[in-house]
Amino acid sequence: AFSGPLAWIGGVLFSPFQNNIRIELVFVMILFPGILNVVYFWISDSYLQAKEGTAGVHEDIDESAEEKKTSLLTEEEKVEGSGSKAWTNVDERQSALA
């Protein structure tokens, strides 16, 4: 059903490139896919981008960053008062607790 119009559009687009196959290959293999990638990422970005009404929906407004860090600490680390161990390597953490 669409093969006739598509063939006509393809003929119109590629008629300037009929004399030089390398220019046609550059267009088909590099330029056109690049343009399609730009359009694809533009559409994806506009869809995923946070709007004013949805920005920060998944964040607790009343909880500060320091409260978030201390909520991730174990009871021993809270007693010690050092929040730096919560962000260290797992091996270092296990050796410190041993």
Side-chain angles (χ1 to χ4, degrees):
F2 294 111
S3 62
L6 283 177
W8 181 81
I9 292 170
V12 170
L13 286 176
F14 291 113
S15 62
F17 306 127
Q18 291 297 318
N19 296 334
N20 193 343
I21 190 74
R22 291 182 180 181
I23 294 175
E24 186 176 354
L25 281 173
V26 166
F27 181 78
V28 170
M29 301 298 286
I30 297 174
L31 295 177
F32 192 66
I35 292 168
L36 286 179
N37 278 336
V38 167
V39 171
Y40 169 74
F41 286 116
W42 183 15
I43 291 171
S44 299
D45 184 53
S46 66
Y47 178 74
L48 296 173
Q49 200 172 41
K51 306 290 187 247
E52 285 183 26
T54 59
V57 170
H58 301 290
E59 307 250 344
D60 294 332
I61 297 172
D62 58 341
E63 190 174 10
S64 69
E66 190 61 36
E67 290 173 347
K68 287 180 183 180
K69 286 180 186 177
T70 57
S71 68
L72 298 173
L73 298 176
T74 63
E75 292 301 321
E76 291 178 359
E77 291 167 338
K78 287 179 184 177
V79 171
E80 291 175 5
S82 171
S84 62
K85 288 187 180 180
W87 310 109
T88 59
N89 184 320
V90 173
D91 295 330
E92 293 173 4
R93 189 173 180 173
Q94 288 175 348
S95 65
L97 294 174

